[in-house]
Amino acid sequence: REGVGSGSKMDSSKAKVGVVGTVRPLTKGPDAAKPSPVPVYCYCRNIFHGQMVGCDNDNCKYEWFHFGCVGLTHNPKGKWYCPDCRVNRSIR
């Protein structure tokens, strides 16, 4: 899935990578009750910057990740799932 955070499926053979518009807010955890005036992403809960990749699990609580935060140095090929979703859903 590749796109701009719209949730549309454009090409299921590629991981979604690039600029994002919005992100689903966290519904769990200590930061869930703290609304942010700007969208935040990733485990680091930081703003969009640099290269980012989207988790292909539609129910991922973070959805978009900074490459450095998940150990990526280049765009993944095919579908990509974040470490949490790989563990929680037994995805490899």
Side-chain angles (χ1 to χ4, degrees), residues 14-90:
K14 296 180 181 177
K16 58 183 179 179
V17 182
V19 178
V20 295
T22 59
V23 69
R24 291 188 303 262
L26 282 178
T27 56
K28 299 178 183 174
D31 294 329
K34 300 176 188 174
S36 173
V38 295
V40 293
Y41 308 90
C42 193
Y43 295 130
C44 68
R45 307 311 300 151
N46 204 338
I47 62 171
F48 172 81
H49 62 84
Q51 289 184 291
M52 296 186 76
V53 62
C55 179
D56 279 301
N57 177 1
D58 290 335
N59 296 314
C60 179
K61 68 180 181 179
Y62 297 104
E63 191 174 9
W64 289 91
F65 298 84
H66 303 102
F67 272 32
C69 293
V70 291
L72 293 175
T73 56
H74 60 278
N75 293 343
K77 294 180 182 179
K79 290 188 180 256
W80 181 85
Y81 295 91
C82 74
D84 284 356
C85 291
R86 284 193 301 256
V87 168
N88 293 336
R89 297 176 51 117
S90 298

